[in-house]
């Protein structure tokens, strides 16, 4: 159990995000908490990370690039082309400054949502999946993944979510962040080939 309470985190979020984004954050928090309970991860950490995962989601492109610069995040070509991809990494740093009592595991889960990472803890996977399947989310395959939650392993669930994300990006001719490629290769063992 972290030193930051859910109520404290929610109050901080209200000063930062729109009502709509907060509704999404609360739904992700609840979904992450339920998934953590199902899969034996830290439910309280999952609820906090779910609540705070989109801390930087409403920053503009210029603000995201400036925040990344200030945080010393190395920018790839994809980050410059799609600054939105930075919101998880800048958000983890900035929420860590705003709420210094947050546990590193929570910050790490916030950092690895959206783009993922080569190494994902159970908590990271729970938050990643929760962000995709929380109520209000709609994409081809979402019902299938919701059904898999609880019946399949956490790894299978995360893998399916990641696969659908990649599929979506390729379908839409969106660029793939190098971290996305690294995360996928780590998932399917492609880095060993
Ligand atoms: Fe996000
Ligand atoms: Fe989100």
């Amino acid at each position: 159990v972290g030193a930051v309470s859910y109520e404290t985190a929610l109050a901080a979020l209200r000063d930062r995000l729109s009502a709509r984004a907060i509704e999404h954050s609360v739904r992700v928090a609840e979904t992450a908490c339920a998934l953590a309970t199902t899969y034996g991860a830290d439910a309280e950490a999952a609820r906090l990370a779910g609540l705070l995962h989109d801390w930087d989601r409403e920053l503009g492109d210029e603000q995201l690039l400036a925040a990344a610069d200030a945080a010393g995040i190395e920018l790839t070509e994809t980050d410059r082309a799609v600054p939105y991809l930075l919101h998880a990494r800048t958000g983890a740093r900035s929420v860590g400054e705003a709420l210094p009592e947050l546990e590193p595991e929570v910050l790490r889960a916030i950092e690895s949502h959206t783009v993922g990472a080569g190494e994902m803890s159970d908590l990271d996977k729970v938050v990643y999946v929760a962000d995709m399947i929380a109520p209000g989310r709609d994409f081809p395959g979402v019902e299938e993944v919701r059904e898999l939650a609880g019946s399949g392993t956490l790894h299978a669930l995360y893998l399916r979510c990641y696969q659908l994300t990649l599929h979506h990006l390729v379908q839409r001719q969106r660029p793939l962040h190098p971290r996305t490629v690294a995360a996928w290769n780590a998932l399917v063992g492609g880095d060993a080939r």
Side-chain angles (χ1 to χ4, degrees):
V1 175
V4 176
S5 73
Y6 185 85
E7 288 67 31
T8 303
L10 185 57
L13 211 57
R14 288 200 198 286
D15 289 334
R16 183 146 185 111
L17 293 180
S18 66
R20 183 188 159 86
I22 290 172
E23 280 167 30
H24 163 70
S25 300
V26 167
R27 290 192 293 252
V28 172
E30 285 164 2
T31 306
C33 184
L35 284 172
T37 304
T38 300
Y39 290 109
D42 185 335
E44 214 35 59
R47 203 158 77 104
L48 261 186
L51 183 68
L52 296 170
H53 80 285
D54 270 344
W55 185 256
D56 266 3
R57 182 65 185 85
E58 292 186 324
L59 294 187
D61 288 357
E62 291 308 317
Q63 289 171 298
L64 281 170
L65 289 167
D69 200 45
I73 296 171
E74 204 185 318
L75 293 174
T76 65
E77 214 174 296
T78 325
D79 292 313
R80 284 185 225 279
V82 191
Y84 152 80
L85 291 172
L86 286 163
H87 80 274
R89 279 167 287 157
T90 62
R93 281 169 176 79
S94 123
V95 77
E97 281 162 23
L99 300 168
E101 320 256 273
L102 281 175
E103 291 170 328
E105 299 78 29
V106 171
L107 298 179
R108 163 81 195 181
I110 293 169
E111 185 179 4
S112 38
H113 94 273
T114 308
V115 175
E119 295 273 320
M120 295 281 282
S121 70
D122 282 358
L123 183 64
D124 298 343
K125 290 176 186 170
V126 156
V127 173
Y128 183 94
V129 172
D131 189 26
M132 278 188 75
I133 69 168
R137 287 297 216 179
D138 192 20
F139 59 88
V142 71
E143 285 311 326
E144 175 209 318
V145 186
R146 284 186 181 131
E147 278 168 33
L148 193 59
S151 66
T153 63
L154 180 57
H155 180 76
L157 188 60
Y158 170 63
L159 176 59
R160 188 67 185 126
C161 281
Y162 216 89
Q163 194 175 26
L164 287 169
T165 301
L166 272 184
H167 189 251
H168 175 85
L169 291 169
V170 171
Q171 282 285 326
R172 299 220 168 178
Q173 293 187 248
R174 307 286 302 217
L176 298 181
H177 195 279
R179 284 167 75 103
T180 302
V181 176
W184 176 251
N185 286 347
L187 257 177
V188 298
D191 50 350
R193 266 165 230 174

